[in-house]
Coordinates of all heavy atoms in Angstrom, one line a residue:
E25 N 120.3 38.4 64.0 CA 119.5 39.1 63.1 C 119.1 40.4 63.7 O 118.9 40.6 64.9 CB 118.2 38.3 62.8 CG 118.5 37.0 62.0 CD 117.3 36.2 61.7 OE1 116.2 36.6 62.0 OE2 117.5 35.1 61.1
V26 N 119.1 41.5 62.9 CA 118.9 42.8 63.3 C 117.7 43.4 62.5 O 117.7 43.3 61.3 CB 120.1 43.7 63.1 CG1 119.8 45.2 63.4 CG2 121.3 43.2 63.9
D27 N 116.7 44.0 63.2 CA 115.7 44.7 62.5 C 116.1 46.1 62.1 O 116.5 46.9 62.9 CB 114.4 44.8 63.4 CG 113.2 45.3 62.6 OD1 113.4 45.7 61.4 OD2 112.1 45.2 63.1
T28 N 116.2 46.3 60.8 CA 116.7 47.6 60.3 C 115.6 48.6 60.1 O 115.9 49.8 59.7 CB 117.4 47.4 58.9 OG1 116.4 46.9 58.0 CG2 118.6 46.5 59.0
N29 N 114.4 48.2 60.3 CA 113.2 49.1 60.1 C 113.2 49.7 58.7 O 112.8 50.8 58.4 CB 113.2 50.3 61.1 CG 113.0 49.7 62.5 OD1 112.1 48.9 62.8 ND2 113.8 50.2 63.4
G30 N 113.7 48.9 57.7 CA 113.6 49.3 56.3 C 114.7 50.3 55.9 O 114.5 50.9 54.9
A31 N 115.8 50.3 56.6 CA 116.9 51.2 56.2 C 117.3 50.9 54.8 O 117.3 49.8 54.4 CB 118.1 51.0 57.2
P32 N 117.6 52.0 54.0 CA 117.9 51.8 52.6 C 119.3 51.1 52.4 O 120.3 51.4 53.0 CB 118.0 53.2 52.1 CG 118.2 54.1 53.2 CD 117.6 53.4 54.4
I33 N 119.2 50.1 51.5 CA 120.4 49.4 51.1 C 120.6 49.6 49.6 O 119.6 49.5 48.8 CB 120.3 47.9 51.4 CG1 120.3 47.7 52.9 CG2 121.5 47.1 50.8 CD1 120.1 46.2 53.4
L34 N 121.8 50.0 49.2 CA 122.1 50.2 47.8 C 122.6 48.9 47.2 O 123.5 48.2 47.7 CB 123.1 51.3 47.6 CG 123.7 51.5 46.2 CD1 122.6 52.2 45.3 CD2 124.9 52.4 46.2
A35 N 122.0 48.5 46.1 CA 122.4 47.3 45.3 C 122.6 47.6 43.9 O 121.7 48.0 43.2 CB 121.3 46.2 45.5
I36 N 123.9 47.6 43.5 CA 124.2 48.0 42.1 C 125.4 47.2 41.6 O 126.3 46.8 42.3 CB 124.6 49.5 42.1 CG1 124.6 50.0 40.7 CG2 125.8 49.8 42.9 CD1 124.6 51.6 40.6
S37 N 125.3 46.8 40.3 CA 126.4 46.1 39.7 C 127.2 47.0 38.8 O 126.7 48.0 38.2 CB 125.9 44.9 38.9 OG 125.2 45.4 37.7
E38 N 128.5 46.7 38.7 CA 129.3 47.5 37.8 C 130.3 46.6 37.1 O 130.6 45.5 37.6 CB 130.1 48.6 38.6 CG 130.9 48.1 39.7 CD 131.4 49.2 40.6 OE1 131.0 50.3 40.5 OE2 132.3 48.8 41.5
A39 N 130.8 46.9 35.9 CA 131.7 46.1 35.2 C 133.0 45.8 36.0 O 133.5 46.7 36.6 CB 132.0 46.8 33.9
D40 N 133.4 44.6 36.0 CA 134.6 44.2 36.7 C 135.8 44.7 35.9 O 136.1 44.2 34.7 CB 134.7 42.7 36.9 CG 135.8 42.2 37.7 OD1 136.8 43.0 37.9 OD2 135.7 41.1 38.2
P41 N 136.7 45.6 36.4 CA 137.8 46.1 35.7 C 138.9 45.1 35.4 O 139.7 45.3 34.5 CB 138.4 47.2 36.6 CG 137.8 46.9 37.9 CD 136.5 46.2 37.7
Q42 N 138.8 43.9 36.0 CA 139.8 42.8 35.7 C 139.3 42.0 34.5 O 140.1 41.3 33.9 CB 139.9 41.9 36.9 CG 140.6 42.6 38.1 CD 140.8 41.6 39.2 OE1 140.3 40.5 39.2 NE2 141.5 42.1 40.2
F43 N 138.1 42.3 34.0 CA 137.5 41.5 32.9 C 137.3 42.4 31.7 O 137.6 42.1 30.5 CB 136.2 40.9 33.3 CG 135.5 40.1 32.1 CD1 135.9 38.9 31.8 CD2 134.5 40.7 31.4 CE1 135.4 38.2 30.8 CE2 133.9 40.0 30.4 CZ 134.3 38.7 30.1
F44 N 136.8 43.7 31.9 CA 136.5 44.6 30.8 C 137.6 45.6 30.6 O 138.3 46.0 31.5 CB 135.2 45.3 31.1 CG 134.0 44.5 31.0 CD1 133.4 44.1 32.2 CD2 133.4 44.2 29.8 CE1 132.2 43.3 32.1 CE2 132.3 43.4 29.7 CZ 131.6 43.0 30.9
S45 N 137.8 46.1 29.4 CA 138.8 47.1 29.1 C 138.2 48.5 29.6 O 137.0 48.6 29.9 CB 139.0 47.2 27.6 OG 137.9 47.7 26.9
V46 N 139.1 49.4 29.7 CA 138.7 50.8 30.2 C 137.7 51.3 29.3 O 136.7 51.9 29.7 CB 139.9 51.7 30.3 CG1 139.5 53.1 30.6 CG2 140.9 51.2 31.3
S47 N 137.8 51.2 27.9 CA 136.8 51.7 27.0 C 135.5 51.0 27.1 O 134.4 51.6 27.0 CB 137.3 51.7 25.6 OG 137.5 50.3 25.2
D48 N 135.5 49.7 27.4 CA 134.2 49.0 27.6 C 133.5 49.5 28.9 O 132.3 49.7 28.9 CB 134.5 47.4 27.7 CG 134.7 46.8 26.4 OD1 134.4 47.3 25.4 OD2 135.3 45.7 26.4
I49 N 134.3 49.6 29.9 CA 133.7 50.1 31.2 C 133.0 51.4 31.1 O 132.0 51.6 31.6 CB 134.8 50.1 32.3 CG1 135.2 48.7 32.7 CG2 134.3 50.8 33.6 CD1 136.4 48.6 33.6
S50 N 133.6 52.3 30.3 CA 133.0 53.6 30.1 C 131.7 53.5 29.4 O 130.8 54.4 29.5 CB 134.0 54.5 29.3 OG 134.1 54.1 28.0
R51 N 131.4 52.5 28.6 CA 130.2 52.3 27.9 C 129.1 51.5 28.6 O 128.0 51.5 28.3 CB 130.4 51.7 26.5 CG 131.2 52.6 25.6 CD 131.3 51.9 24.3 NE 131.8 50.5 24.6 CZ 132.4 49.7 23.9 NH1 132.8 50.0 22.7 NH2 132.8 48.5 24.3
I52 N 129.5 50.7 29.6 CA 128.6 49.8 30.3 C 128.0 50.6 31.5 O 128.7 51.0 32.5 CB 129.3 48.5 30.8 CG1 129.9 47.8 29.6 CG2 128.4 47.7 31.6 CD1 130.8 46.6 30.0
Q53 N 126.7 50.8 31.5 CA 126.0 51.4 32.6 C 125.9 50.5 33.8 O 125.5 49.3 33.6 CB 124.7 51.9 32.1 CG 124.7 53.0 31.0 CD 125.4 54.2 31.5 OE1 125.1 54.7 32.6 NE2 126.3 54.8 30.7
P54 N 126.1 51.0 35.0 CA 125.8 50.2 36.2 C 124.3 49.8 36.2 O 123.4 50.5 35.7 CB 126.1 51.1 37.3 CG 127.0 52.1 36.8 CD 126.6 52.3 35.3
T55 N 124.0 48.6 36.7 CA 122.7 48.1 36.8 C 122.3 48.1 38.3 O 122.9 47.5 39.1 CB 122.6 46.7 36.2 OG1 123.0 46.7 34.9 CG2 121.1 46.1 36.3
S56 N 121.1 48.7 38.6 CA 120.6 48.8 40.0 C 119.6 47.6 40.2 O 118.9 47.3 39.3 CB 119.9 50.1 40.3 OG 120.9 51.1 40.2
A57 N 119.7 47.1 41.4 CA 118.7 46.1 41.7 C 117.5 46.8 42.5 O 117.8 47.8 43.1 CB 119.3 45.0 42.6
T58 N 116.4 46.3 42.4 CA 115.3 46.8 43.2 C 115.2 46.0 44.5 O 115.2 44.8 44.5 CB 113.9 46.6 42.4 OG1 114.0 47.2 41.2 CG2 112.8 47.1 43.2
L59 N 115.2 46.7 45.6 CA 115.2 46.1 46.9 C 113.9 46.4 47.6 O 113.4 47.6 47.6 CB 116.3 46.5 47.8 CG 117.7 45.9 47.5 CD1 118.8 46.6 48.3 CD2 117.7 44.4 47.7
K60 N 113.3 45.4 48.2 CA 112.0 45.6 49.0 C 112.2 45.1 50.4 O 112.6 44.0 50.6 CB 110.9 44.8 48.3 CG 109.5 45.0 48.9 CD 108.4 44.4 48.0 CE 107.8 43.2 48.6 NZ 106.8 42.6 47.8
Y61 N 111.9 46.0 51.4 CA 112.0 45.6 52.8 C 110.8 44.7 53.1 O 109.7 45.1 52.8 CB 112.0 46.8 53.7 CG 112.1 46.5 55.1 CD1 113.2 45.9 55.7 CD2 111.0 46.7 55.9 CE1 113.3 45.6 57.0 CE2 111.0 46.4 57.3 CZ 112.2 45.9 57.8 OH 112.2 45.6 59.2
L62 N 111.0 43.5 53.6 CA 109.9 42.6 54.0 C 109.5 42.7 55.5 O 108.4 43.0 55.8 CB 110.2 41.2 53.6 CG 110.5 41.0 52.1 CD1 110.9 39.5 51.8 CD2 109.3 41.4 51.3
A63 N 110.5 42.5 56.3 CA 110.3 42.6 57.8 C 111.5 42.2 58.5 O 112.3 41.4 58.0 CB 109.1 41.7 58.2
K64 N 111.7 42.7 59.7 CA 112.8 42.3 60.7 C 114.2 42.2 60.0 O 114.9 41.2 60.2 CB 112.4 41.0 61.3 CG 111.2 41.1 62.1 CD 110.8 39.8 62.8 CE 109.6 39.9 63.6 NZ 109.1 38.7 64.3
G65 N 114.5 43.2 59.2 CA 115.9 43.2 58.6 C 116.0 42.3 57.4 O 117.1 42.1 56.9
F66 N 114.9 41.9 56.8 CA 114.9 40.9 55.7 C 114.4 41.7 54.5 O 113.4 42.3 54.4 CB 113.9 39.8 56.0 CG 114.1 38.6 55.1 CD1 115.3 37.9 55.1 CD2 113.1 38.1 54.3 CE1 115.5 36.8 54.3 CE2 113.2 37.0 53.5 CZ 114.4 36.3 53.5
Y67 N 115.2 41.6 53.4 CA 115.0 42.3 52.1 C 114.9 41.3 51.0 O 115.6 40.2 51.0 CB 116.1 43.3 51.8 CG 116.3 44.4 52.8 CD1 116.9 44.2 54.0 CD2 115.8 45.7 52.5 CE1 117.1 45.3 54.9 CE2 116.0 46.7 53.3 CZ 116.6 46.5 54.5 OH 116.8 47.5 55.4
E68 N 114.1 41.6 50.0 CA 114.1 40.8 48.8 C 114.6 41.7 47.7 O 114.2 42.9 47.5 CB 112.7 40.4 48.4 CG 112.6 39.6 47.1 CD 111.1 39.2 46.8 OE1 110.3 40.1 46.5 OE2 110.8 38.0 46.9
G69 N 115.5 41.2 46.9 CA 116.1 42.0 45.8 C 115.8 41.3 44.4 O 115.7 40.1 44.3
V70 N 115.7 42.2 43.4 CA 115.4 41.7 42.1 C 116.4 42.5 41.1 O 116.4 43.7 41.2 CB 114.0 41.9 41.6 CG1 113.8 41.5 40.2 CG2 113.0 41.1 42.5
V71 N 117.1 41.7 40.3 CA 117.9 42.4 39.3 C 117.8 41.6 38.0 O 117.7 40.4 38.0 CB 119.4 42.4 39.8 CG1 120.0 41.0 39.9 CG2 120.3 43.3 38.9
I72 N 117.9 42.4 36.9 CA 117.9 41.8 35.5 C 119.1 42.4 34.8 O 119.2 43.6 34.6 CB 116.6 42.2 34.8 CG1 115.4 41.6 35.5 CG2 116.7 41.6 33.3 CD1 114.1 42.1 34.9
M73 N 120.1 41.6 34.5 CA 121.3 42.0 33.8 C 121.1 41.8 32.4 O 120.5 40.7 32.0 CB 122.5 41.2 34.4 CG 122.7 41.3 35.9 SD 123.3 42.9 36.4 CE 125.0 42.9 35.6
T74 N 121.6 42.7 31.5 CA 121.5 42.4 30.1 C 122.8 42.3 29.3 O 122.9 41.8 28.2 CB 120.7 43.6 29.4 OG1 121.3 44.8 29.7 CG2 119.2 43.6 29.9
K75 N 123.9 42.8 29.9 CA 125.2 42.7 29.3 C 125.9 41.4 29.9 O 125.9 41.2 31.1 CB 126.0 43.9 29.7 CG 127.4 43.9 29.2 CD 127.5 44.1 27.7 CE 129.0 44.2 27.2 NZ 129.1 43.9 25.8
S76 N 126.5 40.6 29.0 CA 127.2 39.5 29.5 C 128.7 39.9 29.9 O 129.2 40.8 29.4 CB 127.3 38.4 28.4 OG 128.0 38.8 27.3
G77 N 129.2 39.1 30.8 CA 130.6 39.3 31.3 C 130.7 39.2 32.8 O 129.8 38.6 33.4
K78 N 131.8 39.7 33.3 CA 132.0 39.6 34.8 C 131.7 41.0 35.4 O 132.2 42.0 34.9 CB 133.4 39.1 35.1 CG 133.7 37.7 34.6 CD 134.9 37.1 35.2 CE 135.2 35.7 34.7 NZ 134.2 34.8 35.0
F79 N 131.0 40.9 36.5 CA 130.6 42.2 37.2 C 130.8 42.1 38.7 O 130.9 41.0 39.2 CB 129.1 42.4 36.9 CG 128.8 42.7 35.5 CD1 128.6 41.6 34.6 CD2 128.7 44.0 35.0 CE1 128.3 41.9 33.3 CE2 128.4 44.2 33.7 CZ 128.2 43.2 32.8
L80 N 130.9 43.2 39.3 CA 131.0 43.3 40.8 C 129.6 43.8 41.2 O 129.1 44.8 40.8 CB 132.1 44.3 41.2 CG 133.5 43.9 40.8 CD1 134.5 45.0 41.1 CD2 133.9 42.6 41.3
F81 N 129.0 43.0 42.1 CA 127.7 43.3 42.6 C 127.9 43.9 44.0 O 128.3 43.2 44.9 CB 126.8 42.1 42.6 CG 125.3 42.4 42.8 CD1 124.6 43.0 41.8 CD2 124.7 42.1 44.0 CE1 123.2 43.3 42.0 CE2 123.4 42.4 44.2 CZ 122.6 43.0 43.2
N82 N 127.6 45.2 44.1 CA 127.8 45.9 45.4 C 126.5 46.0 46.2 O 125.5 46.4 45.7 CB 128.3 47.3 45.1 CG 129.6 47.3 44.3 OD1 130.7 47.1 44.9 ND2 129.5 47.5 43.1
L83 N 126.6 45.7 47.5 CA 125.5 45.9 48.4 C 126.1 46.8 49.6 O 127.1 46.4 50.2 CB 125.1 44.5 49.0 CG 124.4 43.6 48.1 CD1 124.2 42.2 48.7 CD2 123.1 44.2 47.6
K84 N 125.5 47.9 49.7 CA 126.0 48.9 50.7 C 124.9 49.5 51.5 O 123.8 49.7 51.1 CB 126.7 50.1 49.9 CG 127.9 49.7 49.2 CD 128.6 50.9 48.5 CE 129.8 50.5 47.7 NZ 130.4 51.7 47.1
Y85 N 125.3 49.8 52.8 CA 124.4 50.5 53.7 C 125.3 51.7 54.2 O 126.4 51.5 54.7 CB 124.0 49.6 54.9 CG 123.3 50.3 56.0 CD1 122.1 50.8 55.8 CD2 124.0 50.5 57.2 CE1 121.4 51.5 56.9 CE2 123.4 51.2 58.2 CZ 122.1 51.7 58.1 OH 121.5 52.4 59.1
N86 N 124.8 52.9 54.1 CA 125.5 54.1 54.4 C 126.9 54.1 53.8 O 127.9 54.4 54.5 CB 125.6 54.2 55.9 CG 124.4 54.7 56.6 OD1 123.5 55.3 55.9 ND2 124.2 54.5 57.9
S87 N 127.0 53.8 52.5 CA 128.2 53.8 51.7 C 129.2 52.7 52.2 O 130.4 52.7 51.8 CB 128.9 55.1 51.7 OG 128.0 56.1 51.2
I88 N 128.8 51.8 53.1 CA 129.7 50.7 53.6 C 129.3 49.4 53.0 O 128.1 49.1 53.1 CB 129.7 50.7 55.1 CG1 130.2 52.0 55.7 CG2 130.6 49.5 55.6 CD1 130.1 52.2 57.2
H89 N 130.2 48.6 52.5 CA 129.9 47.3 51.9 C 129.3 46.4 53.0 O 129.8 46.3 54.1 CB 131.1 46.7 51.3 CG 131.4 47.2 49.9 ND1 130.8 46.8 48.8 CD2 132.4 48.1 49.5 CE1 131.3 47.5 47.8 NE2 132.3 48.2 48.2
L90 N 128.3 45.7 52.6 CA 127.8 44.6 53.5 C 128.8 43.5 53.5 O 129.6 43.4 52.5 CB 126.4 44.1 53.1 CG 125.3 45.1 53.0 CD1 124.0 44.5 52.7 CD2 125.2 45.9 54.4
Q91 N 128.7 42.6 54.4 CA 129.7 41.5 54.5 C 129.7 40.7 53.2 O 128.6 40.3 52.7 CB 129.3 40.5 55.7 CG 130.3 39.4 55.8 CD 130.0 38.5 57.0 OE1 129.0 38.8 57.7 NE2 130.8 37.5 57.3
G92 N 130.8 40.4 52.6 CA 131.0 39.7 51.4 C 130.9 40.5 50.1 O 131.2 40.1 49.0
S93 N 130.5 41.8 50.2 CA 130.3 42.7 49.1 C 131.6 43.4 48.8 O 132.4 43.7 49.8 CB 129.2 43.7 49.4 OG 129.1 44.7 48.4
P94 N 132.0 43.6 47.6 CA 131.2 43.2 46.4 C 131.4 41.7 46.0 O 132.4 41.1 46.3 CB 131.8 44.1 45.3 CG 133.3 44.3 45.7 CD 133.2 44.3 47.2
F95 N 130.3 41.2 45.5 CA 130.2 39.8 45.0 C 130.6 39.8 43.5 O 130.1 40.7 42.8 CB 128.8 39.2 45.2 CG 128.4 39.3 46.6 CD1 127.7 40.3 47.1 CD2 128.6 38.2 47.4 CE1 127.2 40.4 48.4 CE2 128.2 38.2 48.7 CZ 127.5 39.3 49.2
Q96 N 131.5 38.9 43.1 CA 131.7 38.8 41.7 C 130.7 37.9 41.1 O 130.4 36.8 41.6 CB 133.1 38.2 41.4 CG 133.4 38.3 39.9 CD 134.8 37.8 39.6 OE1 135.2 36.7 39.9 NE2 135.6 38.7 38.9
I97 N 130.0 38.4 40.0 CA 129.0 37.6 39.3 C 129.4 37.5 37.8 O 130.1 38.4 37.3 CB 127.6 38.1 39.4 CG1 127.5 39.6 38.9 CG2 127.1 38.1 40.9 CD1 126.1 40.1 38.9
T98 N 129.0 36.4 37.2 CA 129.2 36.2 35.8 C 127.9 36.2 35.1 O 127.0 35.5 35.6 CB 130.0 34.9 35.5 OG1 131.2 34.9 36.1 CG2 130.1 34.6 34.0
V99 N 127.7 37.0 34.1 CA 126.4 37.0 33.3 C 126.7 36.4 32.0 O 127.5 36.8 31.2 CB 125.9 38.4 33.2 CG1 124.6 38.4 32.4 CG2 125.7 39.1 34.5
N100 N 126.0 35.2 31.7 CA 126.1 34.6 30.5 C 125.2 35.2 29.5 O 124.1 35.6 29.8 CB 125.9 33.1 30.6 CG 126.9 32.4 31.4 OD1 128.1 32.7 31.3 ND2 126.6 31.4 32.2
P101 N 125.5 35.1 28.1 CA 124.5 35.6 27.1 C 123.2 34.8 27.2 O 123.2 33.6 27.7 CB 125.3 35.3 25.8 CG 126.7 35.1 26.2 CD 126.7 34.6 27.5
S102 N 122.2 35.4 26.7 CA 120.9 34.8 26.6 C 120.9 33.8 25.4 O 122.0 33.6 24.8 CB 119.8 35.8 26.4 OG 118.5 35.3 26.5
Q103 N 119.8 33.3 25.0 CA 119.7 32.4 23.8 C 120.0 33.2 22.6 O 119.7 34.4 22.5 CB 118.3 31.8 23.7 CG 117.9 30.9 24.8 CD 116.5 30.4 24.7 OE1 115.7 31.0 24.0 NE2 116.2 29.3 25.3
I104 N 120.6 32.5 21.6 CA 120.9 33.2 20.3 C 119.6 33.7 19.7 O 118.6 33.0 19.6 CB 121.6 32.2 19.4 CG1 123.0 31.9 20.0 CG2 121.8 32.8 18.0 CD1 123.7 30.8 19.2
D105 N 119.6 34.9 19.2 CA 118.5 35.5 18.5 C 118.9 35.6 17.0 O 119.8 36.4 16.6 CB 118.2 36.9 19.1 CG 117.0 37.6 18.4 OD1 116.7 37.3 17.3 OD2 116.4 38.4 19.1

Side-chain angles (χ1 to χ4, degrees):
E25 294 180 3
V26 174
D27 190 350
T28 60
N29 296 314
I33 294 177
L34 174 70
I36 191 164
S37 71
E38 58 190 11
D40 186 338
Q42 294 181 351
F43 178 80
F44 289 102
S45 69
V46 171
S47 62
D48 284 340
I49 289 173
S50 67
R51 291 181 315 205
I52 299 171
Q53 295 296 316
T55 302
S56 295
T58 302
L59 286 172
K60 182 170 111 179
Y61 178 71
L62 301 176
K64 298 182 181 178
F66 195 62
Y67 296 80
E68 178 182 70
V70 176
V71 66
I72 302 172
M73 304 288 292
T74 56
K75 177 72 178 161
S76 64
K78 294 193 183 297
F79 295 84
L80 298 176
F81 193 73
N82 299 283
L83 293 172
K84 294 181 180 181
Y85 171 71
N86 283 341
S87 301
I88 299 171
H89 282 280
L90 301 185
Q91 184 178 359
S93 175
F95 301 90
Q96 187 177 57
I97 58 173
T98 299
V99 180
N100 291 327
S102 187
Q103 296 177 337
I104 294 172
D105 182 332

